[in-house]
């Protein structure tokens, strides 16, 4: 038995998607760690979306989570379609690696590295470049130190979370 | 834990509150693109003036907007500084290793600072004067054209409203779970990395199970109330355009026209 079998109907799937999107928004507001390296938990939501709902609905859920978060909390970078695309790309990549697959360490490492490079370093820097006219290289220099540390911590968190969530699936 | 406020809406009765959320959302989104039109001091002056006009029409205290900018002010300064030393061109005043202080860099850093501030201010105007529910309705309306591409807009609308409704509920639940775990010795802010990463599971798993159960309960309740998919249903909450929406339209058109006239071509 797994989560997708417990959720038999389409409606149940959609309602659960709504709940996980809400979870992602809340996790995005929580951060832990010392002040120098604050780690937001939003990525856990992206992983859950990708892992549970697959590429299509995971991606849609990611987009919705960005829209609602900006409606409730006010988007810190302003309403900009680029960051919605960013929020969609994360779950998509996680879904491609983790959806319907056994939890393997290499899958977690590969997906996290890809998300870091494509989404956090690539896309987000590009949006800042477009939106604010930042010099691309300078924006990269500003971003790189954080993005060199984050993925390793994220991998550890993702590993424990997926272990736990797959356990939930079996028990139910 | 970061300070958490669910919803930034501040009630008021200024004119801007009477405007349709769809219009406001559209203009907020388009405002960011119109900033890209500005490329000389006059055009930046115009857009700053228009932004402060929008801020002024909310009739809210300056502090509200200061609170919107405050958490990011350090980041904005740092970004502007970095840009200052990386941009080259124009007259060079000072140079060391890869850093250059040039006239072009100074102007650009100022522009970037203005852009950041304006974008944050205009987004703050939007979220402060519009209820989250209204913003969600406006987003749903904006997504409608995607129907042409066979995007399941109805389902997305359902997911949006459920997520929006359950964010506050799950928030409370999260804090309850954290406190419950804390009361039995869990520590979320101490220990090494692996220990902290592990500490997330005692929050996440109960939250996950709670969501799963809520989803099953809610969908059962919806079905028993006769929900059979989004198609063929009426709408109870309807957004209506009013004469005030001509004002924000005029605001936007005037802004774009002025920018097109005064920018460097």
């Amino acid at each position: 038995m797994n989560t997708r079998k417990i959720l038999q109907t389409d409606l149940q799937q959609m309602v659960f998607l709504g709940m996980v999107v809400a979870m992602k928004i809340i996790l995005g507001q929580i951060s832990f760690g010392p002040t120098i390296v604050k780690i937001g938990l939003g990525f856990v939501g992206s992983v859950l979306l990708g892992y549970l709902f697959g590429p299509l609905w995971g991606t849609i859920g990611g987009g919705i989570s960005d829209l609602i978060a900006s409606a409730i909390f006010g988007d810190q970078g302003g309403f900009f379609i680029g960051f919605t695309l960013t929020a969609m790309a994360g779950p998509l990549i996680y879904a491609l690696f983790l959806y319907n697959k056994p939890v393997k360490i290499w899958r977690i490492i590969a997906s996290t590295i890809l998300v870091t490079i494509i989404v956090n370093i690539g896309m987000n820097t590009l949006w800042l470049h477009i939106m604010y006219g930042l010099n691309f290289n300078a924006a990269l220099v500003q971003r790189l130190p954080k993005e060199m540390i984050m993925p390793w911590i994220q991998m550890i968190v993702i590993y424990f979370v997926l272990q736990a969530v797959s356990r939930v699936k079996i028990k139910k | 834990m970061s300070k958490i406020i669910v919803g930034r809406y501040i009630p008021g009765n200024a004119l801007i509150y009477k405007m349709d959320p769809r219009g406001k959302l559209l203009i907020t989104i388009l405002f960011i693109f119109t900033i890209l039109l500005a490329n000389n001091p006059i055009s930046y002056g115009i857009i700053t003036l228009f932004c402060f006009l929008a801020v002024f029409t909310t009739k809210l205290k300056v502090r509200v907007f200061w609170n919107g900018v405050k958490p990011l002010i350090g980041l904005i300064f740092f970004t502007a500084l970095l840009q200052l030393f990386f941009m080259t061109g124009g007259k060079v005043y000072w140079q060391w290793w890869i850093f250059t202080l040039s006239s072009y860099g100074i102007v650009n850093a100022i522009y970037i600072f203005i852009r950041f501030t304006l974008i944050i201010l205009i987004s703050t105007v939007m979220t402060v004067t519009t209820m989250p529910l209204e913003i969600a309705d406006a987003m749903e309306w904006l997504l409608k054209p995607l129907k042409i591409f066979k995007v399941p807009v109805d389902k997305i609308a359902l997911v949006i409203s459920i997520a929006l409704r359950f964010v506050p509920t799950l928030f409370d639940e999260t804090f309850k779970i954290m406190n419950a775990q804390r009361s039995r010795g869990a520590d979320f802010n101490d220990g090494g990395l692996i220990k902290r990463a592990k500490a997330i599971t005692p929050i996440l798993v109960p939250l996950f199970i709670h969501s799963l159960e809520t989803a099953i309960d809610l969908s059962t309740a919806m079905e028993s109330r006769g929900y059979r998919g989004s198609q063929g249903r009426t709408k109870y909450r309807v957004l209506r355009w009013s004469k005030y929406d001509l004002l924000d339209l005029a605001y936007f058109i005037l802004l774009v026209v002025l920018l097109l006239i005064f920018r460097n071509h």
Side-chain angles (χ1 to χ4, degrees):
Chain A
M1 280 288 266
N2 64 32
T3 328
R4 279 182 292 280
K5 279 187 190 145
I6 306 164
L7 301 172
Q8 284 151 350
T9 63
D10 195 43
L11 177 63
Q12 276 178 347
Q13 287 263 9
M14 287 302 112
V15 176
F16 189 50
L17 177 61
M19 301 299 290
V20 175
V21 168
M23 259 171 85
K24 176 169 164 23
I25 294 164
I26 293 160
L27 289 171
Q29 298 296 315
I30 300 174
S31 55
F32 76 105
T35 24
I36 323 153
V37 237
K38 274 264 175 246
I39 302 152
L41 286 181
F43 73 94
V44 176
S46 301
V47 172
L48 284 181
L49 281 173
Y51 179 68
L52 294 167
F53 298 98
L56 177 65
W57 282 102
T59 310
I60 293 176
I64 297 173
S65 76
D66 178 73
L67 294 180
I68 300 177
S70 45
I72 300 180
F73 300 105
D75 211 342
Q76 297 224 308
F79 288 97
F80 183 64
I81 185 79
F83 294 111
T84 314
L85 291 180
T86 299
M88 292 169 89
L92 176 65
I93 294 171
Y94 286 124
L96 294 179
F97 277 89
L98 302 167
Y99 181 59
N100 275 343
K101 304 257 172 39
V103 180
K104 288 268 165 54
I105 290 178
W106 74 266
R107 290 184 182 280
I108 295 172
I109 294 175
S111 56
T112 314
I113 289 179
L114 269 184
V115 168
T116 309
I117 293 173
I118 298 176
V119 180
N120 298 350
I121 298 179
M123 289 170 84
N124 277 345
T125 317
L126 181 67
W127 308 138
L128 290 173
H129 171 67
I130 295 173
M131 237 173 123
Y132 300 110
L134 301 189
N135 179 319
F136 202 91
N137 293 335
L140 269 185
V141 169
Q142 186 180 355
R143 209 164 250 278
L144 273 181
K146 193 183 171 195
E147 297 302 341
M148 305 272 256
I149 307 168
M150 287 302 191
W152 314 107
I153 303 168
Q154 290 184 349
M155 284 171 201
I156 300 171
V157 175
I158 293 171
Y159 179 75
F160 285 121
V161 165
L162 285 187
Q163 287 281 321
V165 169
S166 55
R167 223 161 53 224
V168 173
K169 285 163 121 188
I170 295 159
K171 266 189 198 161
K172 269 272 173 175
Chain B
M1 288 298 134
S2 57
K3 60 172 179 153
I4 287 154
I5 345 137
V6 177
R8 305 209 305 164
Y9 176 72
I10 298 166
N13 49 14
L15 200 59
I16 195 165
Y17 286 88
K18 298 192 180 83
M19 288 174 182
D20 194 291
R22 289 171 290 183
K24 280 193 274 185
L25 184 66
L26 258 181
I27 284 169
T28 313
I29 293 169
L30 291 176
F31 188 88
I32 289 165
F33 292 100
T34 44
I35 287 191
L36 302 181
L37 284 177
N39 58 3
N40 60 3
I42 306 172
S43 49
Y44 268 101
I46 292 170
I47 201 154
T48 310
L49 194 76
F50 268 75
C51 182
F52 278 98
L53 184 75
V55 169
F56 179 71
T57 51
T58 62
K59 291 186 181 168
L60 289 167
K61 290 198 183 83
V62 182
R63 161 173 282 188
V64 173
F65 295 95
W66 172 238
N67 284 342
V69 182
K70 199 168 61 182
L72 294 167
I73 202 96
L75 182 74
I76 300 174
F77 263 113
F78 183 66
T79 310
L81 263 181
L82 213 66
Q83 295 295 323
L84 181 67
F85 291 112
F86 265 86
M87 287 275 177
T88 49
K91 217 171 143 195
V92 177
Y93 298 108
W94 178 79
Q95 200 164 19
W96 178 71
W97 194 35
I98 50 170
F99 302 108
T100 330
L101 183 64
S102 63
S103 56
Y104 187 74
I106 294 173
V107 173
N108 224 58
I110 295 171
Y111 283 168
I112 285 167
F113 186 81
I114 296 175
R115 276 191 185 185
F116 259 107
T117 320
L118 293 189
I119 288 175
I120 294 169
L121 281 180
I122 209 82
S123 307
T124 310
V125 170
M126 173 75 204
T127 46
V128 158
T129 62
T130 323
M131 279 186 279
L133 200 64
E134 286 180 331
I135 302 181
D137 285 342
M139 283 169 174
E140 199 188 310
W141 179 80
L142 276 183
L143 289 174
K144 265 188 190 155
L146 291 178
K147 261 187 191 159
I148 304 166
F149 305 106
K150 299 245 162 78
V151 176
V153 176
D154 297 319
K155 279 185 184 174
I156 292 177
L158 174 75
V159 176
I160 288 181
S161 48
I162 288 170
L164 194 69
R165 161 67 184 78
F166 278 96
V167 164
T169 319
L170 279 189
F171 240 130
D172 292 345
E173 191 62 30
T174 311
F175 279 100
K176 262 188 220 158
I177 292 167
M178 284 176 79
N179 285 335
Q181 304 280 22
R182 269 203 200 103
S183 72
R184 297 166 72 224
D187 191 350
F188 300 113
N189 285 311
D190 203 38
L193 271 183
I194 296 191
K195 195 169 167 248
R196 282 188 201 198
K198 265 185 172 168
I200 292 165
T201 38
I203 314 172
L204 209 103
V205 171
L207 193 64
F208 185 76
I209 294 178
H210 176 81
S211 314
L212 194 59
E213 282 171 353
T214 314
I216 293 170
D217 288 349
L218 180 63
S219 51
T220 312
M222 283 171 74
E223 270 169 349
S224 53
R225 303 268 329 220
Y227 184 89
R228 287 159 168 267
S230 311
Q231 262 123 28
R233 296 177 68 85
T234 53
K235 271 183 90 78
Y236 180 67
R237 261 194 351 264
V238 187
L239 295 173
R240 284 204 176 82
W241 297 104
S242 70
K243 56 180 189 268
Y244 302 113
D245 295 305
L246 294 174
L247 278 174
D248 56 8
L249 188 68
Y251 164 90
F252 185 69
I253 290 174
L254 190 66
L255 174 66
V256 172
V257 169
L258 282 177
L259 280 181
L260 285 177
I261 294 171
F262 286 103
R263 76 191 292 256
N264 289 343
H265 288 283

